[in-house]
Amino acid sequence: MRKEVDLHNEAENAEKTARYLENEPSLKGRVMVPTVHWQWTGTSIMTADYITACRLTDQPSLAEANLSVRETMDTATALFAAMCFKWGWVSALVVELDLRHTESTYVAPQ
């Protein structure tokens, strides 16, 4: 339980997930992890890039951002499948991952 509330550990997990994503061709350019700012991260605080986001189920916001609900959900499913079946690394940090479908628009499950 202590590791779950250790935000330094969570930041390391975020970077581990980012490394897996870098080597996953099926998700390249579709999913990113916000950069951790280590100079402001410790056991009780994690600081990372802020990215404007909306819930995957927020259809009006997805439509406003000109994102396909199907493509967004397909990306989320592909990410979870890669975690389970390819990497053997399922990170609850998926809630902090950002699904990218355009150069300037990000969508994240929350």
Side-chain angles (χ1 to χ4, degrees):
M1 184 63 131
R2 289 184 188 194
K3 280 192 171 185
E4 291 303 313
V5 295
D6 179 347
L7 296 178
H8 186 274
N9 184 62
E10 291 300 307
E12 288 175 346
N13 290 341
E15 288 196 342
K16 181 177 181 179
T17 302
R19 284 191 301 274
Y20 278 121
L21 285 167
E22 286 175 17
N23 297 308
E24 182 54 51
S26 68
L27 294 169
K28 204 168 218 59
R30 294 172 62 195
V31 179
M32 65 175 285
V33 178
T35 302
V36 173
H37 297 282
W38 287 103
Q39 68 272 31
W40 299 303
T41 295
T43 57
S44 61
I45 188 167
M46 177 178 158
T47 306
D49 289 347
Y50 178 80
I51 298 173
T52 303
C54 71
R55 293 177 185 269
L56 289 174
T57 55
D58 184 351
Q59 291 188 17
S61 293
L62 291 172
E64 186 178 311
N66 205 21
L67 296 172
S68 161
V69 173
R70 182 179 181 110
E71 285 181 38
T72 302
M73 292 300 183
D74 286 350
T75 298
T77 301
L79 173 62
F80 190 70
M83 286 180 168
C84 291
F85 305 118
K86 290 184 177 182
W87 310 338
W89 166 255
V90 178
S91 173
L93 290 171
V94 72
V95 298
E96 297 178 27
L97 298 177
D98 300 290
L99 305 175
R100 180 175 61 185
H101 290 280
T102 68
E103 288 182 19
S104 60
T105 306
Y106 298 88
V107 180
Q110 296 188 14

